[in-house]
Amino acid sequence: MSGVTMEASSILPILKKKLAFLSGGKDRRSGLILTIPLNSDQTSMEELSATLDYLLSIPSDKCKARGFTVIVDGRRSQWNIVKTVVLMLQNVIPAEVSLVCVVKPDEFWDKKVTHFCFWKEKDRLGFEVILVSANKLTRYIEPCQLTDDFGGSLDYDHSDWLNKRLVFEKFTMESTSLLDELTIINDSEKSASVDKDKSTDGALLPSFDPETVLQTGHELLSELQQRRFNGSEGGGGGQAAPAWCPMEEELLAQPQVTKLLDSLREQYTKYQELCRQRNKRAQLDEIHTKVMQVVNWLQGPGSELLKTQQTIGDSMRAAQALQQKHEEIESQHSEWFAVYVELNQQIAALLSAGEEEEVVELKALQQQLSDVCYSQASQLETRQNVLQAAHAFHSTTQELSQQLDGLLGMLCADVSPADGASIQQNLKLLEEKLQTVEAGLSSLRQKGTLVLEQMCGQASWALEEAESPPGEQQDNVQHVQAVMEEMELRKQRCEDMVDVRRLKMLQMVQLFKCEEDALQAVEWLGELLDALLKTHVRLGDDSQETRTMLDKHKKFVDVAQSTYDYGRQLLQATVVLCQSLRCTTRSSGDTLPRLNRVWKQFTVSADERQQRLELALNFHTAAERVLQQERVEVESLDEVDSSGRTLLDRLTLPIIFPDGSEQFFGSPSDTAATAEGVRERLLLIEERRLQLQEARLLNNEDEEQEQEAVNGLEGRLDVIGEELSEKEEQDEEEKEAEHQDEDSERATQDR
């Protein structure tokens, strides 16, 4: 292949004008087709000549030997320009031109001139020139070898072709220069490796990036191969395309690209190995230097920093300050530990691909570095554990001290609750505080034991390293033990005071309970009195019912008696508890007078109720006996009548309490209903009396007397009925007046 005499980049503006181009098409002799598209504008012959010189430098000598077929497209140009171009071909490529096809326009030039000129100059030109229209061009060239400008099916993109030429020429220039440089570098390194004393510090570097050049070459080669594959698929016009394409070996020299890539890869592989060896030697020296830096710092300044930190502080604030100082020390160590991790990774990578003598050196460095780093990290961790345990111990101590202070303050305060519920709440709070103190003390013991164990571990490595002062460790131990003993004593004193306070508060709870129960007894007794006065009104309709009500009344009184006795006992217990608690300000107050007052009212009411029931029982018993007997004495009837009237009079009387107040049983309607039952029995007695009178009159056969007696009896009955009516009205008026007086008295008492 002939060398390229010029580069496309030097005449790039001219090439972009597309004054001439090699489309890749071939004539029937396999000669290349050179197309010169002329335009109506004036074509520069110098630029066209430069374009032809560049295009003719691309094909190989073998390709040039097959000759060129030149297509001069004069359809948009003048004849004199066409003639000038045809004549110029004689000077540019006389030997390579086989045929010149001048494509004439539809409105052709002067036939005589053109025909005469071409035939006249044929022998002198050295190649045949024919005039042909575009549609007749296929007589000389296959349609698949013609571009679409001439009705063919051959694809040609001038911009794409020009870009590929630029890439190819750039790759050729860079790869050739890079090959020369890599060869020089590799040879110089080889000679330096023979002479081991010779320094290779001033290593040469290539001008171009080998990776970039190789990537460009591979992309170019891939593009060439792709175009070749596409070109072999076939052309237009229904005819088979030949097995070549314009970008193959004749145009872009694919073998040249392949050869350059192979040579470049070979030299680049050697260069990479050279760089790898060079880097390995530099890495070994750098690793050794860094390892010694890490070891020297950890064994020197790092160890000195740890030796100065042995105390645990005497408070939580002091422990926090020590932790902060330790964090600063850890931060300084972390930087060197990060270097250790990086070095360890680098050494591991070198060990996997290192030579035997390098492996021994690297393993020794790795072992030395690991031993020092692990030892220092262990000391840091032990110290950190000691400080964490000390901080937790001081924190728990401070919290427990505050809890003991709070408990002591609660124990020293006076107990003056308002009721039993508040005392129960205070007692519960006291127990909770005591439990919290016990839990805090248990936690303090655990954390104290832990900090002592951690300090023993710290003391062991401190003694191994150097002459750590044993006095500091002993002071730390004594301080922890003293704090734990002090908290034990404070907790014991608080427990003793809690026991005393608990007993006192329980007695106060009992005192309030007795007072509350005594008040409850007064309320119960008042409720019993209220029930007695409001609901215990009826006296029974016969002797059996009255006797039953009398038995229930006795049981009712027994219940009230038990309630009264219970209240008295509670008040006596209250007095005893006040004396035990030395609570002179508290007493039974008005509870005892209220209890006695209610009880006296109840006893008066209960006695009155019992007397009325006994009168009713005697009345019903006598009445039933008289009514059941066939023969009754008038005296017996008079006794029953007298008993009933006495009962009626008793119902109208109020209950007079010891304080002079009065109270009636039930409402006036209830009293009237009870009195009505008694009056009904009295009417039955009078009827019985009337029957006796009638019997006597019959026996005496004295009708007049009988009639008089009957009239007298009827009149008497009428009088009795009127008297009873008047009596009832009077009783109702009196009871209403009494109720009004009682309501006014209650209103006065309320005010």
Side-chain angles (χ1 to χ4, degrees):
M1 178 179 294
S2 62
V4 179
T5 59
M6 65 176 67
E7 295 181 356
S9 58
S10 62
I11 59 171
L12 183 60
I14 298 176
L15 292 177
K16 287 182 178 180
K17 294 181 180 181
K18 196 181 178 182
L19 300 178
F21 61 90
L22 290 170
S23 64
K26 294 184 179 181
D27 57 18
R28 290 185 174 88
R29 300 187 310 275
S30 296
L32 294 177
I33 298 175
L34 175 63
T35 304
I36 302 175
L38 298 176
N39 297 321
S40 59
D41 298 336
Q42 185 67 29
T43 301
S44 173
M45 293 298 113
E46 292 79 4
E47 293 180 351
L48 178 60
S49 176
T51 302
L52 293 175
D53 290 339
Y54 176 76
L55 292 177
L56 293 175
S57 66
I58 296 175
S60 62
D61 295 337
K62 181 180 178 182
C63 184
K64 291 178 181 180
R66 291 196 290 269
F68 290 90
T69 295
V70 181
I71 300 177
V72 179
D73 188 0
R75 289 176 293 179
R76 290 185 295 275
S77 182
Q78 299 177 359
W79 163 247
N80 58 348
I81 296 176
V82 173
K83 180 179 178 181
T84 303
V85 171
V86 172
L87 294 176
M88 185 182 65
L89 292 176
Q90 180 185 12
N91 299 324
V92 178
I93 47 174
E96 288 84 358
V97 176
S98 299
L99 175 66
V100 176
C101 295
V102 178
V103 181
K104 61 185 178 179
D106 294 336
E107 295 180 359
F108 197 45
W109 311 290
D110 189 353
K111 293 184 178 181
K112 294 181 180 181
V113 175
T114 55
H115 184 270
F116 172 78
C117 291
F118 282 129
W119 282 98
K120 181 179 178 181
E121 302 293 334
K122 178 179 180 182
D123 295 335
R124 187 170 61 85
L125 292 175
F127 48 80
E128 182 181 3
V129 179
I130 62 174
L131 293 174
V132 64
S133 60
N135 56 359
K136 299 296 180 61
L137 193 60
T138 54
R139 294 179 181 179
Y140 306 96
I141 303 172
E142 297 293 337
C144 62
Q145 303 299 324
L146 293 173
T147 61
D148 57 354
D149 293 336
F150 306 108
S153 60
L154 181 64
D155 292 333
Y156 175 75
D157 186 345
H158 186 70
S159 298
D160 180 67
W161 173 85
L162 184 57
N163 291 334
K164 292 298 183 299
R165 282 303 302 176
L166 292 173
V167 172
F168 169 74
E169 292 178 359
K170 179 182 178 184
F171 168 72
T172 304
M173 183 270 296
E174 291 181 353
S175 59
T176 303
S177 176
L178 183 60
L179 274 174
D180 295 339
E181 292 178 358
L182 291 178
T183 302
I184 294 173
I185 293 173
N186 293 335
D187 293 342
S188 63
E189 187 67 22
K190 183 177 180 181
S191 61
S193 62
V194 175
D195 187 4
K196 295 184 179 180
D197 296 334
K198 186 177 181 180
S199 174
T200 59
D201 293 339
L204 299 176
L205 295 176
S207 302
F208 301 100
D209 180 22
E211 295 288 346
T212 304
V213 176
L214 284 172
Q215 182 179 358
T216 302
H218 285 298
E219 292 175 355
L220 178 61
L221 184 61
S222 175
E223 179 68 20
L224 294 176
Q225 293 172 347
Q226 182 68 23
R227 289 175 62 86
R228 180 179 184 181
F229 173 77
N230 293 336
S232 64
E233 292 294 328
Q239 298 182 8
W244 46 260
C245 78
M247 302 304 289
E248 202 187 357
E249 52 189 15
E250 282 103 348
L251 297 182
L252 291 183
Q254 178 179 339
Q256 182 180 356
V257 175
T258 303
K259 182 178 179 181
L260 284 173
L261 284 174
D262 293 340
S263 301
L264 188 58
R265 275 195 294 266
E266 180 182 358
Q267 291 297 326
Y268 183 52
T269 301
K270 294 179 180 180
Y271 176 74
Q272 285 180 318
E273 178 63 21
L274 183 150
C275 292
R276 190 184 67 81
Q277 295 293 337
R278 186 189 303 165
N279 292 335
K280 183 185 294 185
R281 287 194 299 270
Q283 283 181 350
L284 287 175
D285 296 338
E286 183 181 2
I287 286 174
H288 185 274
T289 302
K290 290 184 178 180
V291 166
M292 296 313 299
Q293 288 177 352
V294 174
V295 170
N296 292 335
W297 190 90
L298 292 178
Q299 290 181 343
S303 297
E304 291 298 327
L305 287 174
L306 280 177
K307 291 175 185 178
T308 58
Q309 300 294 317
Q310 297 296 324
T311 61
I312 63 170
D314 56 357
S315 64
M316 186 172 67
R317 181 176 298 179
Q320 289 176 345
L322 290 173
Q323 279 187 318
Q324 184 176 0
K325 179 63 177 176
H326 183 73
E327 289 176 358
E328 296 175 358
I329 296 175
E330 281 187 333
S331 177
Q332 297 178 20
H333 280 75
S334 298
E335 298 176 359
W336 293 99
F337 288 153
V339 177
Y340 157 70
V341 173
E342 182 181 357
L343 288 174
N344 203 27
Q345 294 175 351
Q346 294 177 3
I347 292 174
L350 292 175
L351 285 174
S352 61
E355 299 179 359
E356 183 176 356
E357 57 182 9
E358 297 173 351
V359 169
V360 175
E361 180 183 358
L362 288 172
K363 285 186 175 180
L365 288 173
Q366 188 181 39
Q367 186 64 40
Q368 181 183 8
L369 183 62
S370 298
D371 292 342
V372 174
C373 288
Y374 278 117
S375 175
Q376 199 74 0
S378 177
Q379 295 178 22
L380 286 170
E381 183 180 4
T382 303
R383 176 61 180 170
Q384 178 66 25
N385 293 336
V386 170
L387 291 177
Q388 289 177 352
H391 182 271
F393 174 77
H394 292 310
S395 176
T396 305
T397 301
Q398 181 176 339
E399 183 179 357
L400 179 59
S401 180
Q402 293 174 354
Q403 293 170 354
L404 287 170
D405 292 341
L407 179 59
L408 184 61
M410 185 177 180
L411 291 171
C412 294
D414 294 335
V415 181
S416 56
D419 51 23
S422 60
I423 293 180
Q424 291 282 9
Q425 185 67 25
N426 290 337
L427 183 58
K428 181 180 179 182
L429 181 60
L430 187 65
E431 296 291 348
E432 290 176 353
K433 284 184 174 293
L434 182 59
Q435 291 177 0
T436 303
V437 168
E438 291 176 350
L441 184 60
S442 176
S443 176
L444 182 66
R445 294 193 192 99
Q446 295 177 356
K447 293 178 180 178
T449 303
L450 178 61
V451 73
L452 291 175
E453 292 176 353
Q454 295 290 346
M455 285 192 296
C456 291
Q458 178 181 354
S460 62
W461 63 257
L463 291 174
E464 292 176 0
E465 289 293 329
E467 57 283 354
S468 176
E472 291 185 359
Q473 294 295 333
Q474 189 65 26
D475 292 343
N476 293 336
V477 173
Q478 291 177 357
H479 172 71
V480 172
Q481 293 175 347
V483 169
M484 295 173 65
E485 292 174 358
E486 179 186 359
M487 292 299 159
E488 288 278 1
L489 292 175
R490 290 181 62 185
K491 184 255 183 183
Q492 186 61 43
R493 288 195 297 268
C494 287
E495 276 188 343
D496 296 340
M497 296 177 68
V498 167
D499 292 339
V500 176
R501 176 58 62 90
R502 185 188 297 112
L503 178 60
K504 183 176 181 180
M505 297 181 75
L506 290 175
Q507 288 179 342
M508 294 187 71
V509 170
Q510 190 175 3
L511 172 61
F512 279 110
K513 183 63 176 173
C514 290
E515 292 178 350
E516 292 175 1
D517 292 347
L519 290 174
Q520 186 65 49
V522 174
E523 292 179 2
W524 288 343
L525 198 57
E527 292 173 357
L528 292 174
L529 175 61
D530 190 60
L532 177 62
L533 293 174
K534 292 182 178 181
T535 61
H536 293 206
V537 180
R538 293 185 66 253
L539 299 177
D541 297 332
D542 53 30
S543 60
Q544 182 64 33
E545 184 179 2
T546 303
R547 189 175 290 105
T548 301
M549 295 177 72
L550 187 60
D551 293 338
K552 291 182 178 180
H553 176 71
K554 291 180 180 180
K555 294 179 181 179
F556 185 77
V557 172
D558 292 339
V559 171
Q561 181 68 49
S562 301
T563 303
Y564 172 72
D565 295 339
Y566 176 65
R568 293 279 299 183
Q569 293 173 3
L570 290 173
L571 291 175
Q572 291 175 0
T574 301
V575 174
V576 175
L577 288 172
C578 285
Q579 293 175 354
S580 175
L581 293 171
R582 298 178 182 179
C583 185
T584 57
T585 58
R586 298 190 64 85
S587 63
S588 59
D590 62 343
T591 305
L592 182 59
R594 287 178 57 194
L595 179 65
N596 291 332
R597 182 173 63 253
V598 174
W599 173 245
K600 289 178 181 179
Q601 292 177 352
F602 182 85
T603 54
V604 172
S605 302
D607 291 343
E608 178 63 24
R609 172 66 176 170
Q610 185 170 357
Q611 292 176 8
R612 292 185 182 189
L613 287 172
E614 290 175 351
L615 286 174
L617 179 61
N618 293 334
F619 168 71
H620 287 302
T621 301
E624 290 171 357
R625 184 173 61 251
V626 170
L627 293 174
Q628 291 175 0
Q629 292 177 355
E630 294 180 358
R631 299 182 64 180
V632 181
E633 297 295 334
V634 178
E635 291 78 7
S636 299
L637 293 174
D638 294 339
E639 291 178 0
V640 174
D641 184 71
S642 176
S643 175
R645 291 182 179 278
T646 303
L647 181 58
L648 287 174
D649 293 339
R650 193 65 175 263
L651 289 175
T652 61
L653 297 176
I655 304 170
I656 301 175
F657 294 135
D659 57 358
S661 61
E662 296 180 355
Q663 181 71 38
F664 288 92
F665 279 103
S667 62
S669 60
D670 295 335
T671 303
T674 303
E676 184 64 27
V678 176
R679 291 189 185 97
E680 290 178 356
R681 275 295 175 99
L682 288 175
L683 288 175
L684 292 176
I685 295 301
E686 291 301 326
E687 289 177 358
R688 182 63 171 164
R689 186 191 300 275
L690 181 60
Q691 291 175 359
L692 290 176
Q693 293 292 338
E694 290 176 350
R696 289 177 180 177
L697 290 175
L698 289 174
N699 291 334
N700 294 328
E701 296 180 354
D702 190 354
E703 294 181 357
E704 293 179 358
Q705 292 180 357
E706 180 181 2
Q707 185 65 36
E708 292 176 359
V710 170
N711 292 334
L713 288 174
E714 290 178 354
R716 188 175 180 180
L717 287 174
D718 294 336
V719 172
I720 291 173
E722 292 175 357
E723 291 178 354
L724 289 175
S725 299
E726 293 176 356
K727 185 65 175 178
E728 289 177 358
E729 292 177 358
Q730 185 179 359
D731 291 341
E732 290 179 0
E733 292 176 356
E734 291 177 354
K735 288 183 178 180
E736 289 178 359
E738 290 175 357
H739 281 302
Q740 292 176 358
D741 295 339
E742 185 178 358
D743 293 338
S744 62
E745 183 180 355
R746 287 180 180 174
T748 303
Q749 291 177 357
D750 293 338
R751 288 194 296 269

